[in-house]
Each structure stands twice: as structure tokens, then as C-alpha cells.
Amino acid sequence: MRPTRDFARRAGLRRSVALLASFRFEQSDPARFYGALATDTVDMITDLWTGLHATTAAGRTVLDVGGGPGYFASAFTGAGMSYIGVEPDPREMHAGPAGTPDGAGTFVRASGTALPFADDSVDICLSSNVAEHVAHPWRLGNEMLRVTRPGGLAVLSYTVWLGPFGGHEMGLTHYLGGARAADRYARRHGHRPKNDYGSSLFAVSAADGLRWARSTGALIDAFPRYHPRWAWWMTGVPGFREFTVSNLVLVLQP
């Protein structure tokens, strides 16, 4: 059974437009942005798990690497899963509407490249929009596979640097070069970007992710997260995918 079968049915044009429209609220209205993203992420993980196992994901343990302030915790807990969020930055961990996580799930302060969990200890390991923010993203990927039980599910989703959203709040200026775009942003706004090239934002390509995933022997599928199903073919075209696959999802099964 193809693991993306169920999710592919959900991946229509209306979903894509709604998600892309929410991006402009990431910093001005994070509850709106992260709430929509969390709901969609739960749908994706649930569909992928069902596609692999033909059973519900309810009752499974989810480890979310880079879980942030609690929006994902609420969504996964509401879907009946046991949620553990890992976040290295205490400012992010306490950035929710009430200043702290809302009580759903468990939160651990740690680095995604050195997860403080035993081998084969969780059913599902997720990392959503984190790999482009760490200097060694495939160390993070290897750690995700290490802690996921054999036959479980690991999903690593990240923003491709040369895609239209690679520059994050710097917009399309990242095509001028990451350092130059960050300096230009600082001059214009009077402060460094939250996603500052070279320290909290790095150039990660689709080719890099696919190469790493294939080398593990655990890759079972890959697709562009925010695209409608009829555009998923772009993932298979080298070069072209770097500019058109704005966010790449790597689906792995240890």
C-alpha cells in the first residue's frame, strides 16, 4: 500500500491555497498561522500512518522535533495521540497565546541533533519546518530514525532554500544570496531577521534531503507538502524541483 494514498486525496488546490495564504500571518498572528499548520500536519501524519498500517494513529506516541509553543501539541492530543515536543529555544517553548504551552502533551528542552530518548522509543517522529534552521540537518534526520521504532513512521518536512519561501521573512531577496538578503533586511527594519542566514537559517536543497534519505534505506516516499496532488511530479525532476518544491516531505520507515 502506498503510504501517501490517503493524504493525496486530501491534497487539493483549495487546501494548497488556504495554507499558502496563512503564511503571511506567521509573525503578525502566529495563532492563525500555526493553528492551521498544526491541523494540516495532524491530518498528514494520520493519513500517512493509516496508509502504512491500515489502522488509526490514535494512541500512538508522537515525538515532534522543534515542536514550538504548543499549537501542535493541542492538535495531536485532540486527535488522540500522546505528544512529546522537543524545543531547544525556551523563547519558542513559551511563545504561545498564554505565554506557556496549553497543558497538552509533554515538552522537553533539547537539541534535535542529540535527542534525549532511547533507541526505538516512539511510534512516530516528526520534524516540521526545522531542518532548514539547523546547521547539520541530517544529524537531526539520523536522530529521528534512531528513536523511531522499526515499522514506525518518521516524517521530515523542510523548506527548500531555492524555493520561493526559502528566504522566509526576507522574501525573494534570498535569491541575491543569503548573507546579502539578511543584511538588506536588517538595514530596512532596524534589526536582524528572526531567520538569519548562517545562524538560524541555512541553505538546504531538495537534492541534499533526497540523497540523505535514500542513503538511510528508510525512504518510502517524498512529495511537495503544499502542492496539490497533480503537481507532486515536480519532486522527481532534478534542478527544477529546487525552485518549485517549496517544502519537501521525506517519509521514512525504519
Side-chain angles (χ1 to χ4, degrees):
M1 181 181 295
R2 191 171 177 85
T4 53
R5 183 197 63 180
D6 292 335
F7 184 65
R9 294 182 182 135
R10 192 189 301 273
L13 182 60
R14 180 177 297 180
R15 165 189 170 268
S16 297
V17 171
L19 284 171
L20 292 174
S22 72
F23 283 133
R24 66 181 185 272
F25 299 106
E26 179 181 4
Q27 295 189 26
S28 63
D29 189 357
R32 180 172 180 175
F33 168 71
Y34 287 108
L37 186 62
T39 298
D40 187 77
T41 302
V42 170
D43 289 340
M44 179 176 70
I45 294 298
T46 299
D47 286 348
L48 291 175
W49 181 270
T50 300
L52 279 175
H53 299 285
T55 61
T56 177
R60 300 295 174 175
T61 301
V62 177
L63 178 63
D64 183 7
V65 182
Y71 299 104
F72 278 42
S74 297
F76 276 102
T77 301
M81 287 174 260
S82 298
Y83 178 93
I84 304 170
V86 172
E87 177 57 55
D89 187 345
R91 295 170 299 178
E92 288 293 317
M93 192 178 291
H94 298 285
T100 58
D102 63 3
T106 301
F107 291 80
V108 177
R109 184 181 176 188
S111 169
T113 58
L115 294 171
F117 299 94
D119 295 356
D120 310 333
S121 57
V122 300
D123 299 304
I124 301 166
C125 192
L126 163 71
S127 178
S128 175
N129 298 309
V130 174
E132 70 268 26
H133 300 296
V134 297
H136 303 287
W138 315 128
R139 289 185 191 174
L140 181 151
N142 288 332
E143 279 290 274
M144 291 175 62
L145 290 175
R146 179 185 65 78
V147 302
T148 305
R149 295 186 179 110
L153 175 66
V155 178
L156 196 164
S157 170
Y158 68 94
T159 303
V160 177
W161 172 247
L162 288 177
F165 304 108
H168 288 59
E169 70 266 39
M170 294 182 295
L172 297 178
T173 64
H174 71 297
Y175 289 120
L176 303 173
R180 181 180 296 177
D183 290 344
R184 182 177 184 274
Y185 181 96
R187 289 194 302 270
R188 182 175 180 181
H189 297 276
H191 60 85
R192 303 296 297 179
K194 175 184 176 183
N195 301 289
D196 199 349
Y197 185 80
S199 60
S200 55
L201 180 64
F202 300 88
V204 186
S205 70
D208 288 343
L210 289 165
R211 187 180 303 111
W212 164 78
R214 289 168 181 148
S215 75
T216 69
L219 180 67
I220 54 176
D221 219 329
F223 60 91
R225 180 169 184 174
Y226 304 122
H227 289 40
R229 176 65 184 88
W230 48 261
W232 284 11
W233 61 269
M234 295 177 180
T235 304
V237 185
F240 182 70
R241 64 190 171 208
E242 301 296 342
F243 297 92
T244 58
V245 175
S246 57
N247 189 286
L248 180 64
V249 180
L250 302 173
V251 184
L252 306 106
Q253 185 176 40

